[in-house]
């Protein structure tokens, strides 16, 4: 069954869908440390951020490298060696999260603890065993020992005082930076809200013209938070036709479950569906009852049906419903 | 041998489902739960980089959904398992963004004048003191060779630091990359020890 779907929605989806729909990861060029630092500091374009988001979850080697690069970056900040734009981005972007602020605080503490352990004063016993002791009269020994002890306590007290002062300064610096980061994050949220409103207005405006009688093609989700397809459901439509593109054809029978991602509950299930070829591309056509659809995100889970075994999960397809 | 503790107190996942999830994440190699912890760490970091206020909860929600799908469908074809976890995590992220756009946290409805920076500063001072005490305590709990390794790895700056790390790697007979990963693990265990110590005090 084919019902009206906004042509613009289909065009938009086709044009702005940068996701990699292949299940196997294509060979990728090596990523430099500098590139990873820019990723951590929010200085990369959105599509590159999404590409790296996926790789940092899926790719074991990159995940480990990213942690090492992140620790080095945070240590540089703790050591005060970050400068210029990198410092600014660190304070406004990186420190916007409490978890990352805590990492920075830990790095400062670790640095202080390591400095302390590598600059320990000489133990008191060493001073007491200096050659000078041999020429002192035996009765002077307690006085000399007391003097050395007082000196050592003085040194330790001074060191402790200096360390505490440095810590307080560090903490103050952190608090100021965190205040600046919070302000910047608030500004960012305001801008994001404005962008979202503009985007919605654009979608509404585009979907106003005449509707085409076509089925919207959905691709399996692998990445791309911003690339979820928007489906405008016209008033009065009773069914929404969709074609789910198959990445690995071969099955003869499928079924589809419509899931509300908020509750993760399956709210509708199709009957058995046969795959079709549309312009040589294997697809599974499905028609959703629009009465179930509210203005929100949905996920369609595709299962391959095989006689005598449980349905085999194939892929998930995300889309967002907009009511006209 | 290290013992891995898996904390699933808030999860709605049953014991059997959780075992199935662990086995699926292991993908044929028994990691004794390490793989689950690793994927969870990555998901927490992913949500955190996306500036979500509760990355731990979102990571758990992601793994719970994966577990429920496994329970319902018996098997997930997507490989490696981490890729499917990422696909689900994206949904969770989208929903969280959407939810936050609708809700205004109670704290944000308070007048700004109630914010007291000097009080925060005093708290931060105390916090830093506590952290340093905990860090010293946790460093002392490390094995001597691990303590030496972490101190040597992180001391000095820039050029000297690079040279020192190269010497350390040569001394241990491992690559610089392997050394970085070994010290990262030590550092992560220190961070966890400091967090637990701070909560106790």
């Amino acid at each position: 069954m084919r019902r009206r779907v906004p042509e613009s929605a289909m065009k938009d989806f086709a044009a702005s869908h940068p996701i990699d729909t292949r299940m196997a990861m294509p060979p990728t060029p090596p990523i430099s440390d500098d590139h990873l630092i820019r990723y951590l500091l929010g200085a990369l374009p959105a599509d590159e951020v999404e590409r790296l988001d996926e790789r940092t979850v899926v790719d074991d080697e990159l995940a480990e490298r990213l942690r090492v690069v992140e620790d080095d970056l945070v240590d540089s900040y703790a050591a005060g060696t970050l400068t210029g734009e990198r410092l600014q981005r660190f304070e406004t972007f990186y420190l916007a999260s409490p978890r990352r602020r805590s990492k920075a605080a830990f790095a400062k503490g670790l640095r202080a603890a390591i400095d302390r352990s590598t600059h320990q004063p000489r133990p008191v016993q060493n001073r007491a065993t200096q050659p000078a002791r041999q020429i002192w009269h035996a009765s002077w020994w307690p006085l000399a020992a007391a003097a050395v002890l007082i000196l050592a306590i003085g040194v330790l007290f001074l060191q402790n005082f200096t360390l505490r002062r440095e810590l307080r300064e560090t903490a103050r610096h952190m608090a100021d930076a965190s205040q600046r980061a919070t302000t910047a994050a608030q500004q960012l949220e305001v801008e994001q809200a404005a962008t979202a409103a503009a985007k919605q207005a654009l979608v509404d405006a585009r979907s106003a013209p005449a509707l085409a009688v076509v089925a919207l093609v959905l691709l399996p989700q692998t990445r791309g938070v911003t690339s979820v397809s928007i489906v405008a459901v016209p008033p009065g439509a009773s069914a929404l036709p969709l074609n789910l593109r198959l990445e690995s054809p071969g099955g003869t029978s499928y079924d589809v479950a419509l899931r509300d991602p908020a509750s993760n509950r399956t709210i509708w299930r199709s009957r058995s569906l046969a795959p079709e070829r549309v312009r040589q591309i294997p697809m599974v056509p499905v028609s959703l009852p629009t009465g179930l659809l509210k203005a929100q995100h949905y996920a369609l889970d595709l299962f391959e049906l095989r006689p005598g075994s449980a349905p085999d999960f194939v892929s998930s397809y995300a889309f967002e419903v907009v009511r006209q | 041998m290290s013992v891995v503790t898996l904390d699933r107190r808030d999860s709605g996942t049953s014991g059997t489902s959780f075992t199935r999830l662990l086995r699926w994440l292991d993908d044929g190699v028994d990691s004794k739960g390490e793989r689950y912890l690793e994927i969870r760490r990555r998901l927490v970091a992913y949500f955190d980089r996306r500036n979500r206020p509760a990355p731990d909860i979102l990571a758990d929600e992601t793994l719970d959904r994966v577990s429920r799908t496994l329970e319902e469908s018996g098997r997930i074809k997507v490989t490696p398992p981490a890729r499917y976890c990422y696909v689900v995590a994206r949904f969770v992220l989208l929903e969280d963004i959407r939810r936050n756009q609708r809700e205004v946290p109670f704290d944000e409805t308070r007048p700004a004048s109630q914010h007291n920076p000097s009080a925060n500063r005093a708290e931060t001072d105390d916090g830093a003191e506590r952290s340093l005490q905990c860090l010293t305590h946790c460093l002392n709990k490390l094995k001597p060779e691990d303590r030496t390794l972490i101190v040597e790895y992180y001391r000095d700056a820039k050029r000297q630091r690079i040279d020192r790390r190269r010497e350390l790697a040569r001394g241990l007979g491992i690559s610089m990359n392997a050394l970085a990963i070994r010290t990262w693990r030590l550092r992560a265990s220190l961070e966890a020890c400091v967090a637990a110590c701070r909560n106790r005090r």
Side-chain angles (χ1 to χ4, degrees), chain A residues 19 22-25 39-40 46 49-54 56-61 63-68 70-72 74-76 81 93 96-100 102-103 106-107 109-114 116-118 163-164 167-168 171-172 174-176 179 188-189 192-193 196 221-228 248 259-264 266 295-299 301 303-304 306 310-321, chain B residues 35 37-39 41-53 55-56 61 64-66 68-69 72-95 97-102 108 115 117 120-121 124-133 135-137 139 147 150-158 161 165 176-177 179-192 194-195 198:
Chain A
I19 65 173
R22 285 162 294 184
M23 285 293 110
M25 184 80 82
Y39 169 62
L40 290 167
V49 168
E50 284 165 7
R51 194 176 75 84
L52 284 176
D53 276 346
E54 181 181 2
T56 56
V57 174
V58 177
D59 182 339
D60 293 349
E61 196 186 324
E64 287 194 326
R65 248 190 76 207
L66 182 69
R67 282 177 195 144
V68 173
E70 183 172 8
D71 279 349
D72 282 347
V74 174
D75 287 342
S76 302
T81 54
F93 182 87
S97 124
R99 187 173 162 274
R100 296 188 303 245
S102 151
K103 273 183 91 69
F106 175 81
L110 182 64
R111 189 177 165 75
I114 284 172
R116 188 160 62 175
S117 72
T118 52
L163 196 61
R164 279 168 187 270
L167 260 172
R168 269 193 285 276
R172 251 178 232 124
M174 287 289 297
D176 291 346
Q179 184 60 41
L188 187 66
E189 271 182 23
Q192 279 173 341
Q221 289 298 295
T222 55
R223 74 163 75 109
V225 166
T226 56
S227 59
V228 169
S248 46
R259 189 161 45 84
D260 179 350
S263 61
N264 204 38
T266 300
Q296 64 170 70
H297 284 104
Y298 285 97
D301 292 337
F303 297 87
E304 187 180 334
R306 286 181 187 157
D312 210 357
F313 177 83
V314 177
S315 198
S316 205
Y317 302 75
F319 66 98
E320 183 179 357
V321 168
Chain B
R35 189 67 187 164
L37 293 175
E38 172 63 20
I39 295 292
R41 267 196 294 270
R42 289 182 200 176
L43 292 173
V44 171
Y46 163 66
F47 289 119
D48 183 56
R49 282 195 293 273
R50 289 294 187 147
N51 288 327
R52 301 327 298 158
D56 290 271
E61 171 65 20
D64 283 351
R65 287 188 190 186
V66 172
R68 285 202 290 270
T69 305
E72 283 165 19
S73 62
R75 177 176 153 208
I76 296 172
K77 249 181 157 182
V78 180
T79 56
R83 188 185 303 281
Y84 183 71
C85 291
Y86 173 73
V87 171
V88 177
R90 284 185 51 255
F91 279 118
V92 173
L93 174 70
L94 276 170
E95 288 154 29
I97 291 170
R98 203 182 168 90
R99 201 165 34 238
N100 276 37
Q101 280 169 352
R102 281 201 296 260
E108 287 178 22
H115 181 69
N120 280 357
R121 190 163 289 174
T124 316
D125 282 359
D126 286 349
E129 294 272 344
R130 264 203 313 276
S131 289
L132 191 65
Q133 286 166 6
L135 197 45
T136 310
H137 164 75
L139 268 173
R147 189 166 51 242
I150 204 160
V151 168
E152 292 298 306
Y153 187 85
Y154 286 112
R155 65 187 286 197
D156 296 332
K158 295 226 162 172
R161 174 180 276 199
R165 288 178 181 183
M176 288 276 278
N177 193 36
L179 176 70
I181 290 164
R182 188 181 287 189
T183 45
W184 177 84
R185 288 194 176 130
L186 279 176
R187 182 180 175 137
S189 74
L190 260 184
E191 268 189 84
V194 169
R198 279 185 54 122

Side-chain angles (χ1 to χ4, degrees), chain B residues 2-17:
Chain B
S2 64
V3 176
V4 178
T5 308
L6 304 173
D7 186 358
R8 304 285 296 161
R9 279 169 302 185
D10 300 329
S11 165
T13 308
S14 72
T16 320
S17 310

